[in-house]
Amino acid sequence: MTPDPPERALLGVASVGKSFAGIPVLQDVSFTADRGEILMLVGENGAGKSTLKNILSGLIAPDSGAVHFAGRTLAALSPADADRLGIGTIHQELSLFENLSVAENIHLPRLPQRFGRVDRKRMEAQSRAVLQDRLGAAIDPWTPVEELSLGERQMVEIAKAIHRSSSLLILDEPTTCLSLPERARLFDAVRRLRDHRYAIIYITHFMEEVYELADRITVLRDGRVVGGGTPRDMPQEALMRRMVGRDLAELTTVPAAVADDAPVMLEVDRLGDGVAVHEVSFCLHAGEILGLAGLMGAGRSEVAELLVGLRHGEGRVTLAGRAFVERSPRMALERGLVLVSEDRRRDQAFLNRAVRENLSAAMLPVVASGPLGLLALDRERQAAEQAAMTFHVDHPGLEAFMLALSGGNQQKAIVGRWLQRAPRVCILDEPTKGVDIGARAEMHRLIREQAAAGVAFLLISSDLPEMMALAHRVLVLHKGRIVGALSRAEAEAHRILALASTGRVS
Amino acid sequence: MSGRWRPLTRVGAQVWSLVAVLALVSVGFASLSDRFADLDNLRNVLLQAAPTMIGAVGMTLVIAARGIDLSIGAIANLALALALLGAGTRSEAALATDTTWLVYPIAIASGLALGTLNAVATNVLRLSALITTLGTLTLYRGLGLHITAAGLIAVRGPILAFGRAQLWGIGVPVFAAVLMAVAGWVFLSETPTGRRLLAVGGSPRSAVETGLRTERLLVVAYAASGLCGAIAGLILVGRVGVVNPDLGYGMEFTVITAVVLGGTSLFGGRASMFGTVLASLLLTTIDNGMTLIGADPYAYDVVRGVILLIAVSADAASAHMRSRRSPVIPELRA
Amino acid sequence: MRKAYLQIGLAAALLTAPTAFDAASAKDITIGVSFDKIEPFRVAEKKALTDAIEAAHAKMDFANADKDAQRQASQVDTMVSQGVSAIIAIPWDIEAANDLARSTIAAGIPFVSLDQALSDLKSVTYHIGGDPCADGKVAGEFFVKAAAGKPFKLLELQGGLANDNGIRRSRCLDDALKAAPNITIVAQVPTDWNPQKALDGTENALQAHPDLAGIYAPWNDALQGVFSVLKAKNLLLPVGDPKHITIVSIDGTPLGCKAVRDRLIDLEIATPLPEMSRRAVAAAIKASQGGKIEPQAEFLPGIPYGPDNVKAMASKIWGCQG
């Protein structure tokens, strides 16, 4: 299918380019989107999807090129233009007012009024019309948004967008935080909107979403359009190659088997805090990757926090054969137990410091030498170089700022920082959340290699394919209790999901 | 239809606890002084509370929009100094300055203008309101001192009318305060602009993405605060009969205390006009009662400080409760 | 020029123990003056200082710390680095300014404190101020006399709770009243020297005690607030009226003098501002030229006057002139 010439479609993006601080983010990007179709805009993180979205919603102006909309040509859009033209955007981070009601959120900034007062009757009727008739969502318009689940908030965000926009809807990674049923409801809503003659641009990097929804696909890589077409023209393999620009065969590698005589590294007996975690017991062998699955709020991160002493509770923990009683993050480090949490990855990148310093930060006591404990720069450099190699951190030079690294490489550097200390047990909490496919595969390779080298991993992840690809065994938590332990062969998505949602195998 | 309408200006737990504290404090004072529970004293308390209450109404709007106006007392000062400059005639013989009715429009216009300037400065400089209004606090006070030559100016004539007039035996400032509070409440909970202001306070980022004209809304809030500062200044000067360099000094603290104590969140997005009114009354009642029972002068600040701490911890506790109430999110993807 | 010095000597001799400073040449001398704040009384003090410095043919470099000890310290440091010959300061923080005074003196620049005494008098080159305690005592004795042994309810407005003048004007009043058990202080209202708070306090005290007999307003600005309340209650009556409430105030500003002349207050205790300023300037100049200052601290009691002798006293009260 050849796309319409840009001038003819509802939206035509023509040769748009944009640079930040001299670095091109978008180059010569052209595509179209028309009413009654869903255009999937796919690409890895950093491919330029967000910049494109921001240009279309009027938040930033392109440096070159033009945007054609409904027969008009604009060099740049302002938010007011986007509003006037009926372009609605659902950003990845929801832009809702938690303190206000659903109805107010849908109507802001233009609240209907009568005699200078807010017209609540009309607000309620219009909110119901959008929520129920358009989206099929049963949400009371007067509920404060802070009382809604994330899925419901996403629906409100969409309701808000379609209340104001009549023609084009842009959704940026809308399923990031949604559960399965919520996701299904969202897809329903998106299809309904297409049937209501909306043009929809759906930004994602999840393959299954692409093939479930797409009418057409446009692939971005490094700020350029590198492919496009219908789903039939573009099978998954081809699409992924386009996105990443190389083969991803290693994705399917099976982790090395755990030796039969592998020593137990971590033994946990009736761990609990009386609130979020109850009587959790398991053991973890050297070289084993043990998955910890569960819904958000099931107590996964809390288990990790209990283990390293960030949270107080009862239960016995044995670490490499010795009881671990006085648990504290400091003691945990000393005993070879590290936790790399989501927060840690976000907070621990010293973005405006050299890559060298970022890599050696956990090794300073080792690197420091001499009677004064001064840092030996060459030794530090050596250690950093070694780490960069071991943990596959691609960098433009050890002295470059951390900022110059891609998000995936930053994450590898931070995880690497902790693995450098040769821990016995490493707890990873959502190690690839928000990372693109390439970086995810690299991170997986790193985890497998380190496991093969004898590190025991406790892997907490909401990403079931990741869990199934990496873990030797999977424990499923439900309301703070372990409700199932599945071997690699048993660990199928539907079984994990059923256990996690209901606590039983259906 | 609006059975489930839950305005953010609703009477919340904070307000009930304020009512309880106010009742408790009143009963306490009444048992220690038989002159406390007395109609005359009620009139006094209301009249003494009026400037704080009016200032606090304006401050509520600013804080609801996640701002703060430290310059409100300085605005009271400068607005009155400007009013004297424009509509006052120094009479050397009487050691006093005669005024005309023009002081009112000048003071009010000055209050609005100075408040607007606060908003513009915050918008243009893109600094936190705390910093900008700390700056304008110094600037306005400095200008006020300059205009009045830091002198104590006894005033006569129409400028005294507003602060001293009575209606049915009750001071006119009391009616003004009630009127302002009701207007503030209607504005916040019933008008689109008021709701937008709360939206900006709730999430400034979302406000920008939603296309709210944040900067204009801030002008509304700060102008209102400046207006309230000027009116409070008119009452103070009307009552005491002097424009002095200390006029409005420290008013920001009393007023912000009243607002936060009343249940308006310092983090924006939640306002309780009714709570503001009650808290202003409570603060005034404490001072009034302390004098009536002849308390040790060093006890005044201790009692006020304890109350402020209670207010802040109540605010934090309710924020904590809200965060605990946040939904449990199923988060598995196949 | 000789005439000016003669006057200083005369005035000094008239008032208290003579402190005859050498009439040194003051050419090319700049005195750095640092005020804690600007308010009506300070304006008067500044004028008195300006006059005294002009009379000594010196120059003045003025800064206002606006109730900020940090600011005062940096302003004084700046003056010292700009080469002033001496500092005359009204300290804002009577604790923190000890260090400021010592470091200034260590830099070879005399530091004279005016009006507000530091917590450690030894840290300054010279201190000259009023005697808040003596003033409070005179006020107390006046109330004792006015009560004449009969029950007497007194409202005490408290200036500043953390301020030397405020504390001592209050404490020494209380001490003087101990002799008269017939006088009850029905309320001590903290006001931060703010007339609005004086108004509220007076209103509340009158509410609690309609039979109030006396009001102690230890600074003149408070009178405006007091008068407003009394006027509203039809109690603003001249001295001598049977329902008149006895009022004593301190400062001696034009407004205070006017209140005395209008017979609205019974006693006013005027701070001898011009004399204080003259002595401060003379000491600053002398010390900057290496002279020894003796005594190192002086406290000048206020000059009491009332409606009956205001005519006779007017020439000695700065607020009654002009």
Side-chain angles (χ1 to χ4, degrees):
Chain A
M1 187 202 227
T2 43
D4 299 326
E7 298 79 20
R8 293 263 301 281
L10 174 71
L11 169 76
V13 172
S15 303
V16 161
K18 176 79 191 171
S19 304
F20 289 116
I23 301 160
V25 185
L26 291 178
Q27 296 178 65
D28 196 22
V29 169
S30 302
F31 64 89
T32 63
D34 225 328
R35 282 187 181 276
E37 70 167 2
I38 301 173
L39 172 72
M40 285 298 194
L41 199 58
V42 294
E44 297 191 84
N45 282 2
K49 293 172 298 181
S50 300
T51 311
L52 200 51
K53 170 199 72 179
N54 287 336
I55 287 175
L56 291 177
S57 51
L59 294 179
I60 57 178
D63 298 336
S64 57
V67 177
H68 304 283
F69 197 92
R72 302 164 56 180
T73 304
L74 299 137
L77 293 148
S78 68
D81 287 333
D83 214 35
R84 196 163 32 82
L85 296 170
I87 302 175
T89 308
I90 292 125
H91 297 276
Q92 200 170 354
E93 266 182 77
L94 301 185
S95 53
L96 292 179
F97 302 102
E98 295 187 10
N99 57 329
L100 301 182
S101 68
V102 170
E104 286 167 315
N105 269 283
I106 291 175
H107 285 84
L108 275 168
R110 278 185 297 273
L111 299 170
Q113 50 180 306
R114 263 182 95 202
F115 310 120
R117 290 180 49 180
V118 177
D119 186 348
R120 291 182 188 143
K121 212 177 224 165
R122 211 161 87 214
M123 228 160 84
E124 178 168 336
Q126 289 175 352
S127 303
R128 284 194 197 286
V130 175
L131 283 167
Q132 288 169 7
D133 306 347
R134 281 282 165 94
L135 297 173
I139 301 172
D140 185 276
W142 297 126
T143 317
V145 166
E146 63 197 352
E147 290 175 13
L148 298 181
S149 75
L150 269 187
E152 289 173 312
R153 291 183 196 195
Q154 187 69 265
M155 282 295 172
V156 174
E157 185 77 47
I158 296 173
K160 178 179 161 184
I162 59 180
H163 173 71
R164 322 162 44 154
S165 64
S166 44
S167 51
L168 172 67
L169 214 55
I170 306 168
L171 295 101
D172 185 8
E173 308 267 5
T175 59
T176 311
C177 297
L178 301 191
S179 68
L180 278 178
E182 283 176 331
R183 210 175 56 141
R185 245 174 275 144
L186 174 82
F187 288 174
D188 266 354
V190 171
R191 289 194 197 97
R192 268 179 199 239
L193 291 172
R194 171 185 58 196
D195 299 343
H196 277 98
R197 303 287 300 153
Y198 274 87
I200 290 164
I201 297 179
Y202 190 110
I203 301 172
T204 186
H205 62 257
F206 292 114
M207 290 303 120
E208 65 275 16
E209 294 184 7
V210 174
Y211 290 97
E212 208 162 325
L213 285 175
D215 292 317
R216 281 198 300 125
I217 302 170
T218 292
V219 186
L220 276 182
R221 189 177 75 231
D222 300 331
R224 295 170 189 278
V225 175
V226 293
T230 62
R232 246 182 312 148
D233 300 341
M234 211 180 222
Q236 186 159 345
E237 280 298 306
L239 175 56
M240 282 171 76
R241 250 198 321 276
R242 287 273 163 80
M243 270 173 73
V244 184
R246 64 192 130 85
D247 286 325
L248 286 164
E250 60 208 16
L251 253 181
T252 48
T253 316
V254 177
V258 182
D260 289 340
D261 58 348
V264 172
M265 275 299 157
L266 179 70
E267 197 178 343
V268 177
D269 186 24
R270 273 168 297 171
L271 189 69
D273 64 352
V275 183
V277 179
H278 309 280
E279 302 195 347
V280 165
S281 307
F282 61 87
C283 53
L284 175 59
H285 298 81
E288 187 181 22
I289 304 172
L290 178 62
L292 194 54
L295 300 180
M296 198 172 177
R300 296 169 306 172
S301 301
E302 286 80 359
V303 168
E305 288 170 10
L306 276 166
L307 284 174
V308 300
L310 273 172
R311 181 182 278 266
H312 296 288
E314 67 271 14
R316 276 199 11 223
V317 177
T318 314
L319 199 56
R322 270 172 56 211
F324 182 31
V325 183
E326 293 292 322
R327 292 194 286 274
S328 71
R330 198 191 162 80
M331 275 309 291
L333 267 181
E334 229 162 80
R335 298 280 305 270
L337 170 66
V338 302
L339 164 64
V340 185
S341 64
E342 247 186 292
D343 293 344
R344 223 171 234 198
R345 281 187 286 118
R346 207 172 358 188
D347 299 343
Q348 292 198 341
F350 311 130
L351 291 177
N352 51 359
R353 306 294 309 175
V355 173
R356 165 179 50 80
E357 291 175 28
N358 270 280
L359 280 169
S360 66
M363 295 295 285
L364 292 183
V366 183
V367 172
S369 64
L372 294 174
L374 296 177
L375 292 178
L377 194 60
D378 47 338
R379 272 220 260 168
E380 187 189 352
R381 191 168 293 137
Q382 254 174 23
E385 246 162 47
Q386 181 63 43
M389 221 141 71
T390 315
F391 307 115
H392 316 290
V393 180
D394 285 338
H395 57 84
L398 281 175
E399 298 307 314
F401 280 176
M402 194 70 166
L403 207 57
L405 267 57
S406 73
N409 277 309
Q410 283 180 13
Q411 301 217 4
K412 279 184 284 182
I414 303 301
V415 174
R417 184 194 292 170
W418 294 102
L419 289 176
Q420 240 177 321
R421 298 184 56 125
R424 294 186 166 102
V425 180
C426 178
I427 308 172
L428 293 173
D429 195 350
E430 304 285 4
T432 60
K433 194 171 179 184
V435 164
D436 60 55
I437 294 185
R440 183 163 171 267
E442 292 268 309
M443 182 66 78
H444 289 177
R445 175 151 71 112
L446 190 148
I447 295 171
R448 281 200 205 93
E449 278 177 16
Q450 293 292 319
V455 179
F457 280 96
L458 183 62
L459 171 71
I460 299 171
S461 178
S462 302
D463 186 339
L464 282 187
E466 170 172 286
M467 188 70 88
M468 293 183 297
L470 286 178
H472 295 99
R473 284 187 298 143
V474 176
L475 300 176
V476 185
L477 273 181
H478 176 70
K479 293 187 178 166
R481 292 175 198 279
I482 292 184
V483 291
L486 307 173
S487 70
R488 189 169 171 79
E490 297 167 322
E492 288 164 15
H494 70 91
R495 204 174 279 181
I496 299 178
L497 261 178
L499 274 169
S501 334
T502 61
R504 285 188 309 264
V505 187
S506 52
Chain B
M1 58 92 208
S2 55
R4 301 209 50 201
W5 167 255
R6 284 187 263 177
L8 296 158
T9 46
R10 68 183 175 236
V11 177
Q14 180 95 10
V15 165
W16 289 120
S17 68
L18 265 181
V19 170
V21 173
L22 187 56
L24 219 68
V25 166
S26 301
V27 168
F29 283 136
S31 69
L32 291 169
S33 164
D34 55 352
R35 299 278 296 172
F36 179 83
D38 176 309
L39 263 184
D40 280 335
N41 196 46
L42 182 65
R43 281 192 202 114
N44 286 352
V45 169
L46 289 175
L47 192 56
Q48 288 164 12
T52 304
M53 208 184 283
I54 290 177
V57 167
M59 188 67 77
T60 302
L61 300 188
V62 173
I63 292 182
R66 205 179 281 200
I68 197 142
D69 182 3
L70 295 182
S71 75
I72 188 166
I75 290 181
N77 193 318
L78 181 52
L80 268 291
L82 288 168
L84 286 194
L85 191 69
T89 326
R90 174 103 181 129
S91 154
E92 284 301 333
L95 281 179
T97 294
D98 288 304
T99 56
T100 68
W101 287 101
L102 273 178
V103 289
Y104 292 99
I106 296 177
I108 283 169
S110 307
L112 287 169
L114 296 171
T116 305
L117 193 62
N118 276 337
V120 171
T122 310
N123 288 338
V124 170
L125 299 176
R126 306 225 164 262
L127 290 172
S128 80
L130 197 73
I131 304 290
T132 355
T133 58
L134 190 63
T136 52
L137 159 70
T138 313
L139 173 70
Y140 295 165
R141 274 185 59 76
L143 287 174
L145 284 177
H146 185 73
I147 292 171
T148 57
L152 180 98
I153 303 173
V155 290
R156 302 192 299 196
I159 197 172
L160 304 178
F162 179 45
R164 296 187 179 183
Q166 293 199 341
L167 203 58
W168 305 305
I170 296 169
V172 164
V174 177
F175 294 100
V178 171
L179 207 71
M180 297 292 288
V182 170
W185 176 74
V186 168
F187 172 75
L188 267 190
S189 72
E190 299 293 318
T191 70
T193 311
R195 307 307 291 178
R196 289 187 198 117
L197 210 62
L198 282 167
V200 169
S203 170
R205 183 183 61 83
S206 297
V208 172
E209 287 173 1
T210 308
L212 286 172
R213 296 166 193 252
T214 308
E215 302 187 341
R216 280 196 205 181
L217 289 166
L218 288 184
V219 169
V220 171
Y222 283 95
S225 170
L227 169 73
C228 290
I231 295 177
L234 281 168
I235 294 173
L236 290 172
V237 168
R239 294 200 66 208
V240 77
V242 290
V243 173
N244 57 309
D246 265 350
L247 172 64
Y249 187 80
M251 184 199 269
E252 59 277 8
F253 291 113
T254 320
V255 160
I256 292 170
T257 308
V259 172
V260 175
L261 187 60
T264 294
S265 167
L266 266 179
F267 306 111
R270 259 162 247 280
S272 167
M273 206 51 90
F274 192 46
T276 294
V277 169
L278 279 175
S280 308
L281 279 178
L282 177 60
L283 290 177
T284 311
T285 303
I286 291 168
D287 279 5
N288 168 274
M290 298 288 269
T291 304
L292 256 64
I293 64 171
D296 184 278
Y298 288 91
Y300 284 66
D301 275 345
V302 175
V303 172
R304 278 191 224 115
V306 167
I307 299 249
L308 175 62
L309 280 179
I310 291 172
V312 174
S313 47
D315 189 36
S318 80
H320 183 65
M321 297 281 278
R322 276 198 299 278
S323 73
R324 283 180 63 136
R325 208 151 34 95
S326 67
V328 174
I329 306 132
E331 206 215 64
L332 270 180
R333 59 168 52 256
Chain C
M1 195 192 281
R2 191 178 295 154
K3 197 176 156 199
Y5 293 133
L6 200 64
Q7 273 179 350
I8 294 176
L10 260 178
L14 271 175
L15 271 154
T16 46
T19 318
F21 295 115
D22 294 338
S25 161
K27 283 222 168 66
D28 307 324
I29 281 186
T30 300
I31 297 176
V33 175
S34 166
F35 270 30
D36 55 344
K37 59 181 175 181
I38 288 289
E39 39 107 33
F41 193 73
R42 291 286 183 267
V43 173
E45 283 182 302
K46 190 186 168 199
K47 186 176 177 305
L49 260 182
T50 312
D51 292 348
I53 290 175
E54 257 174 33
H57 297 277
K59 287 193 276 297
M60 176 163 93
D61 188 355
F62 181 84
N64 168 26
D66 199 18
K67 307 189 184 183
D68 185 337
Q70 290 277 0
R71 193 179 298 153
Q72 186 160 39
S74 70
Q75 284 172 345
V76 169
D77 287 346
T78 308
M79 287 175 177
V80 169
S81 66
Q82 281 169 352
V84 297
S85 313
I87 296 287
I88 297 178
I90 304 180
W92 169 246
D93 185 324
I94 62 172
E95 284 296 335
N98 284 316
D99 286 336
L100 177 63
R102 287 188 205 113
S103 66
T104 307
I105 293 169
I109 305 297
F111 188 102
V112 172
S113 59
L114 176 71
D115 196 342
Q116 297 262 25
L118 291 188
S119 62
D120 181 4
L121 270 177
K122 295 215 163 51
S123 33
V124 295
T125 312
Y126 174 68
H127 171 78
I128 176 78
D131 188 342
C133 195
D135 296 349
K137 199 160 155 258
V138 168
E141 283 160 359
F142 185 86
F143 280 122
V144 171
K145 212 170 81 203
K150 288 196 275 295
F152 190 95
K153 284 187 174 177
L154 177 67
L155 161 67
E156 183 193 335
L157 297 174
Q158 240 279 3
L161 292 169
N163 164 291
D164 184 54
N165 275 337
I167 294 167
R168 292 209 283 167
R169 281 180 189 178
S170 168
R171 193 181 300 150
C172 295
L173 170 93
D174 299 352
D175 288 346
L177 292 182
K178 277 190 188 127
N182 56 317
I183 298 182
T184 11
I185 299 179
V186 293
Q188 284 178 296
V189 183
T191 61
D192 293 328
W193 307 108
N194 185 327
Q196 276 85 25
K197 289 190 184 168
L199 181 149
D200 287 352
T202 309
E203 192 167 64
N204 292 334
L206 259 181
Q207 164 67 20
H209 307 281
D211 51 346
L212 198 67
I215 298 174
Y216 178 53
W219 80 112
N220 281 173
D221 295 0
L223 291 174
Q224 295 299 321
V226 173
F227 290 166
S228 299
V229 177
L230 296 183
K231 198 171 173 192
K233 306 244 176 212
N234 293 322
L235 286 170
L236 187 59
L237 304 162
V239 174
D241 189 288
K243 282 173 76 186
H244 168 80
I245 291 178
T246 306
I247 301 173
V248 176
S249 187
I250 302 179
D251 272 354
T253 66
L255 278 168
C257 183
K258 182 169 182 298
V260 173
R261 282 180 170 146
D262 293 347
R263 303 187 65 82
L264 293 175
I265 65 174
D266 302 74
L267 184 75
E268 151 98 315
I269 301 156
T271 309
L273 266 194
E275 178 56 24
M276 268 164 53
S277 304
R278 268 183 231 119
R279 292 199 193 185
V281 171
I285 292 174
K286 185 180 173 193
S288 75
Q289 293 167 338
K292 194 169 159 48
I293 307 298
E294 199 66 50
Q296 197 226 358
E298 291 179 285
F299 300 92
L300 306 183
I303 308 159
Y305 69 105
D308 298 330
N309 66 351
V310 60
K311 274 207 179 95
M313 299 289 287
S315 62
K316 291 185 198 157
I317 315 296
W318 65 273
C320 294
Q321 285 147 24

